[in-house]
Amino acid sequence: NIDASATSGWNAGAGFQPIGTSSSFTGTLDGLGHSINQLTINRPTAFTIGLFSSLSNARIENLGMNNGSITGRSVGALFGSASNNSVINNSYTNVNVVGESAAGLGSYGDHITINNSHASGNVTASALIGGQAGGLMGYIATSTINNSYATGNVSGVNSVGGLVGSMPTGTIRNSYATGNVSGTQYVGGLVGFAYNGGTINLAYSTGKVTGSSFVGGLIGANVGNGTAVTNSYWNTDTSGHATSA
């Protein structure tokens, strides 16, 4: 395990510099079941912020992140962005995350797979346009989430979900969210904004959901070709919503 508490005083208060800032990390990190504790990143004007800035065809597994705080513009505790068949396996975070776009595990994923992972930190996103907020992921495109969950509270403006904020052509299987979700529009207990196809199977959400427009117990909005939802549910009592997209 790594005690990263000293990072709060690094780089004139900016904290740890994310790995893969100048070029994407393309290797493998196997944490072997260990954790990084009390990591601080305070870079509110920087994009793609997290332990890793950018992942490409990378593999991160068996790694935990405990406590600390991470702030950026587009920010996730583990990574800012991931693409090109990157894989996250058996990893978790419980770090609180703040940004314009923010998520408990990773802000942006394109053609990636997440297996057996979870996030329990609270997520706060502030962007009025283009800012997604999710308990696990902010945005996933042509990507898959398997056997994963989020339990932190999620607060944002647009595309706010307990598990995923925005999801075009994504797949969610055997996964759930239990945190409270609040935003203005496209707000859902599991997914805020689903569009252009994709599938959700064996999923559920139980958190309270509050918003102004396009608000649903499980999904806030489901548009375009439509995401197929099967064998899934939300708690109509705790969510406060009897309907969902």
Side-chain angles (χ1 to χ4, degrees), residues 28 30 47 72 75 98 151-152 163 166 169 192 204 210 217 225 236 239 244:
T28 295
D30 188 341
F47 290 99
V75 55
V98 178
T151 61
L163 191 74
S166 182
T169 62
Y204 71 87
T210 57
N225 294 328
T236 58
S239 70
S244 172

Side-chain angles (χ1 to χ4, degrees), residues 31 82 112 158 164 219:
I112 70 169
N158 294 314
V164 175
I219 302 173

